[in-house]
Structure formats: structure tokens, C-alpha cells
């Protein structure tokens, strides 16, 4: 065994032996808001196989991160998300004779999503247009704020919209699919599952069977209730990971506890003293399959939805959303970054409308920089 593998095993052993241990078998309740444990470097991660996924605000953010760092990220799985810069150019329906954009917050909750319905003071705003998002991507790239979107053509993308989902309109996801097409991601690299031949899914993370313990009742496929993991008889994590990593994809582990470890790490070192503006929790989580301590693996980043962080749903997303079962047997390390509540983000959503500042959707955004720094640490390109 080479020195890198030996060092990794030693680091993991040290993590597991501390009082701040937070693995799949022993996550403190309530979850810790700080830890001294550092995110480990995994120098044998495949830098050409980094992918992202997310639900709801996490889906918007996963796409946003994919676009901004398309040179790095080679695939995305998006459940109930929307197109880049969705909130930036929604016309105010009360300005019929000249174009005045809706404020970002309103655009986020009545156009890009219907979180508060589909009306703005009685009038229905227009849905996002693909040409607006494509223009913003090109402009941001020309300004050096995001990677050249030509890199997107090398990606694999899996999209899902539940038939019973009334939070994110189907048309918003259709615009997202069209946007990927504009930049060269078409079938078969692009799959858009509109949930036509399966049990109708609400706004949540579909799993075959909810297998863990939870403070919440098991939610059926048609429900929209915490922890927003819905039992549908099919598994979104499997479908998206199978599409993103199509080569020799194996069946799931029957015991991800046995076959891997969930590590807590200090997230605060990645966003510094501006914690309030970053909207990030002090602790993040990493699922590390046992085989990844001795064999090369890939990295997948999973972004939870609003009110789906560890403070809201305990370990239901990081443990029971389905990712770990498939990651354990398919050489996939899963990074679970976490948001936190603030006055401007009480629902603990990922930032796709600018609550962290005007750079929220480019490489300079506080959350975008923090996640990129975590990736750099993992692949051995940062201290």
C-alpha cells in the first residue's frame, strides 16, 4: 500500500476516534454546529469524474455550480431545479409598456418556483426564457466570472420533474433542458425524466423504500412534507448516479454502514469570518466508502433542498436519500455541504437568488467559493 493510502487510512482512523465523531451509526442529536475535524485530502480521486446533484434550491444551485465550474464538473443530476440566473430577468407584470425586471426574491418564489403561488400582486409573471439564461452565461463567461460554457458539451446531465410537483413548474425544467441543449448537451448525454410511467412524485427526493430511522413519518410519493424524502418505488439517486457514471455500475450495498463511513468536518474554514453572509453551517459531511481508502474513486456533491439540512431533518438526507447505498459499491465519495438559517434565508435554502450578494451565481459567490475550496481540498489541490 502506498504512502498516500496509508496516510488516508490514518486520517480516517483519527477522525473516527474523536469525541466529535459523526458517522452513519452515531450522529449526535442535535447535530453539532462546530467540529475540529478537517476535511481530508483524497489525492486518488479522479479529477475527470466530478459531478453534482441537488433537489429544489439544491437543484438550482447544482446547475449553477455546474455552469460556473464547467471545466471541473463533468455532470449534473437535477431534481426540481431551474436554469442559470433564473431570477435575473423575469419581467414585472405590472410594467406592460417597458421592461422592468421583477426583484430577485419575488422572481424566485412566484416565477422560477411557485413556492408562494404564481401571482405577483394578482398578475401572473412570465416564466424564465432560455435565451435570457444563455445570454447571461455568455456575458458572465466573457467577463471571466465563470468558465467558458463550451466545457458543458462534455457533460452528462440527468433531470427529473415529478408529475405532482407544483412547487417548480414543469416549464421551468423544460427551459433548463433547452439551456443545456444550447451549449451542446443533448440526448443521449441528456436525459429528462418527466415521471410519466412511474408513481407520481411530489416535490421531494424519490427513494425506493425509506430504509432508515427518522423523526418523521414515512412520506408517500405524493406527499410534500419533511424530510422531503418520498417513498416512490424508484430511486432518484440510483438513476442520476447510474447516468452520470454509466461504466460498470454495480448494484447498491445492502449495508452502507458496513461499507463506508459518514465523516463530519469543519465547513467554517472554507468561508472564513463572513459566516452570516455565506449562509453555511459550521459542519459538513462526507460519505467515504471503505473501498475508497485503498482504490481510486470519483467525487459527487449532493446539495440538499430547503429545510432539508441536518438541523431541520437530522440525518435523513445525508443518510437516507439513497446516495450512500449506491456510492458504497460504485467507488463514489459523496460530499454533503450544509446551509444554515439566517434572517435573509430562514428556510436554509441554497442561494440561487442572491441573498449572499450580487456574485451569488459566479465563481466569486460566497457559497460557490466555499464549495470549490472543499473540492480542491478533497482532490489535493489546496491545503
Amino acid at each position: 500500500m502506498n504512502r498516500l493510502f496509508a496516510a488516508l487510512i490514518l486520517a480516517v482512523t483519527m477522525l473516527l476516534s474523536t469525541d466529535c465523531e459523526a458517522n452513519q451509526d452515531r450522529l449526535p442529536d442535535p447535530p453539532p454546529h462546530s467540529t475540529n475535524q478537517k476535511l481530508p485530502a483524497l489525492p486518488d480521486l479522479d479529477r475527470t469524474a466530478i459531478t453534482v446533484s441537488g433537489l429544489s434550491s439544491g437543484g438550482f444551485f447544482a446547475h449553477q455550480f455546474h455552469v460556473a465550474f464547467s471545466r471541473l464538473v463533468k455532470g449534473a443530476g437535477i431534481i426540481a431545479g431551474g436554469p442559470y440566473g433564473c431570477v435575473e430577468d423575469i419581467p414585472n407584470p405590472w410594467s406592460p409598456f417597458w421592461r422592468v425586471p421583477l426583484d430577485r426574491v419575488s422572481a424566485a418564489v412566484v416565477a422560477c418556483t411557485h413556492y408562494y403561488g404564481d401571482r405577483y400582486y394578482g398578475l401572473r409573471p412570465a416564466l424564465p426564457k432560455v435565451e435570457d439564461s444563455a445570454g447571461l452565461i455568455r456575458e458572465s463567461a466573457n467577463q471571466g466570472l465563470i468558465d467558458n460554457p463550451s466545457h458543458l458539451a462534455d457533460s452528462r446531465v440527468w433531470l427529473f420533474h415529478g408529475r405532482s410537483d407544483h412547487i417548480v413548474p414543469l416549464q421551468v425544467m423544460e427551459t433548463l433542458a433547452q439551456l443545456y441543449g444550447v451549449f451542446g448537451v443533448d440526448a443521449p448525454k441528456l436525459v429528462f425524466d418527466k415521471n410519466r410511467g412511474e408513481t407520481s412524485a411530489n416535490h421531494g427526493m424519490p427513494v425506493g423504500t425509506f430504509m432508515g430511522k427518522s423523526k418523521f413519518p414515512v412520506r408517500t410519493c405524493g406527499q410534500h412534507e419533511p424530510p422531503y424524502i418520498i417513498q416512490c418505488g424508484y430511486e432518484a439517486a440510483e438513476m442520476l448516479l447510474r447516468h452520470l457514471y454509466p461504466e460498470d455500475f454495480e448494484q447498491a450495498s445492502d449495508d452502507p454502514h458496513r461499507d463506508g463511513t459518514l465523516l463530519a468536518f469543519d465547513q467554517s474554514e472554507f468561508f472564513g469570518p463572513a459566516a452570516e453572509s455565506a449562509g453555511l453551517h459550521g459542519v459538513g459531511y462526507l460519505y467515504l466508502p471503505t473501498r475508497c481508502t485503498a482504490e481510486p474513486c470519483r467525487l459527487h456533491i449532493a446539495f440538499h433542498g430547503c429545510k432539508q439540512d441536518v438541523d431541520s431533518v437530522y440525518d435523513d438526507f445525508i443518510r437516507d436519500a439513497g446516495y450512500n447505498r449506491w456510492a458504497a459499491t460504485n467507488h463514489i465519495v459523496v460530499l454533503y455541504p450544509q446551509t444554515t438559517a439566517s434572517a435573509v434565508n430562514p428556510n436554509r435554502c441554497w442561494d440561487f437568488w442572491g441573498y449572499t450578494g450580487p456574485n451569488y451565481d459566479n465563481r466569486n459567490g460566497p457559497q460557490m467559493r466555499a464549495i470549490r475550496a472543499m473540492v480542491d481540498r478533497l482532490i489535493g489541490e489546496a491545503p
Side-chain angles (χ1 to χ4, degrees):
M1 182 177 296
N2 64 36
R3 291 183 179 180
L4 291 176
F5 288 148
L8 174 58
I9 291 172
L10 176 60
V12 171
T13 301
M14 292 176 66
L15 282 169
L16 295 180
S17 65
T18 67
D19 292 336
C20 293
E21 176 182 350
N23 61 36
Q24 284 194 316
D25 298 305
R26 207 171 105 193
L27 178 64
D29 187 11
H33 280 212
S34 64
T35 178
N36 294 325
Q37 304 306 324
K38 302 300 184 184
L39 183 65
L42 307 175
D44 286 294
L45 284 176
D46 184 348
R47 291 162 175 75
T48 69
I50 298 171
T51 60
V52 296
S53 69
L55 165 67
S56 191
S57 72
F60 279 89
F61 192 85
H63 166 64
Q64 184 174 286
F65 192 83
H66 183 202
V67 170
F69 296 105
S70 59
R71 184 188 296 271
L72 173 78
V73 179
K74 295 307 177 185
I78 299 166
I79 304 156
Y84 186 87
C86 184
V87 303
E88 293 296 328
D89 207 19
I90 302 294
N92 189 321
W94 286 97
S95 300
F97 301 113
W98 58 90
R99 189 179 180 93
V100 175
L102 207 56
D103 68 276
R104 289 170 174 164
V105 174
S106 297
V109 297
V110 298
C112 299
T113 77
H114 288 168
Y115 193 83
Y116 288 129
D118 64 351
R119 302 298 174 112
Y120 180 72
Y121 294 104
L123 296 183
R124 181 181 287 117
L127 293 170
K129 295 181 179 179
V130 66
E131 55 265 31
D132 292 334
S133 289
L136 180 59
I137 289 172
R138 293 188 179 104
E139 179 182 353
S140 296
N142 288 338
Q143 294 174 357
L145 297 173
I146 65 174
D147 289 351
N148 190 317
S150 63
H151 297 295
L152 289 169
D154 299 327
S155 299
R156 297 182 66 84
V157 174
W158 183 86
L159 310 177
F160 180 87
H161 184 271
R163 273 183 292 139
S164 297
D165 186 346
H166 302 296
I167 302 295
V168 174
L170 174 61
Q171 297 96 317
V172 170
M173 289 213 71
E174 288 175 335
T175 299
L176 174 59
Q178 293 165 14
L179 181 63
Y180 272 117
V182 167
F183 292 104
V185 187
D186 297 301
K189 291 189 296 184
L190 172 68
V191 170
F192 187 4
D193 187 338
K194 298 182 181 180
N195 193 211
R196 297 299 189 217
E198 303 154 323
T199 305
S200 182
N202 207 319
H203 189 74
M205 183 76 182
V207 296
T209 302
F210 190 90
M211 302 178 70
K213 296 179 181 179
S214 178
K215 299 178 180 180
F216 305 99
V218 174
R219 303 302 185 184
T220 63
C221 202
Q223 288 185 285
H224 177 59
E225 300 287 345
Y228 310 106
I229 297 172
I230 49 180
Q231 187 167 278
C232 294
Y234 52 88
E235 198 142 288
E238 175 195 0
M239 292 188 284
L240 70 89
L241 290 174
R242 190 181 289 274
H243 179 70
L244 298 179
Y245 300 113
E247 301 294 329
D248 301 319
F249 199 83
E250 299 181 17
Q251 288 302 307
S253 166
D254 61 357
D255 188 355
H257 304 247
R258 178 196 64 219
D259 296 333
T261 305
L262 195 64
L263 306 174
F265 68 90
D266 177 17
Q267 271 197 162
S268 67
E269 69 168 315
F270 298 104
F271 53 84
E276 196 65 29
S277 63
L280 294 173
H281 198 282
V283 179
Y285 296 86
L286 183 78
Y287 179 73
L288 181 64
T290 302
R291 61 176 57 184
C292 292
T293 62
E295 301 171 14
C297 282
R298 293 81 66 93
L299 174 63
H300 183 77
I301 310 164
F303 297 103
H304 61 73
C306 299
K307 295 187 288 189
Q308 210 178 26
D309 60 295
V310 290
D311 286 337
S312 299
V313 302
Y314 189 48
D315 64 357
D316 286 356
F317 185 79
I318 63 175
R319 177 178 179 176
D320 298 315
Y323 289 100
N324 301 347
R325 299 177 58 235
W326 300 95
T329 54
N330 286 285
H331 295 83
I332 301 170
V333 173
V334 185
L335 176 65
Y336 292 106
Q338 299 291 301
T339 59
T340 193
S342 67
V344 294
N345 181 36
N347 291 333
R348 306 162 189 266
C349 304
W350 288 97
D351 188 11
F352 70 94
W353 70 88
Y355 70 79
T356 60
N359 290 317
Y360 72 96
D361 60 354
N362 64 55
R363 291 182 305 212
N364 298 319
Q367 292 181 358
M368 303 281 274
R369 287 200 318 268
I371 303 304
R372 177 60 197 260
M374 294 178 202
V375 173
D376 287 346
R377 168 72 62 78
L378 285 166
I379 63 178
E381 292 188 0

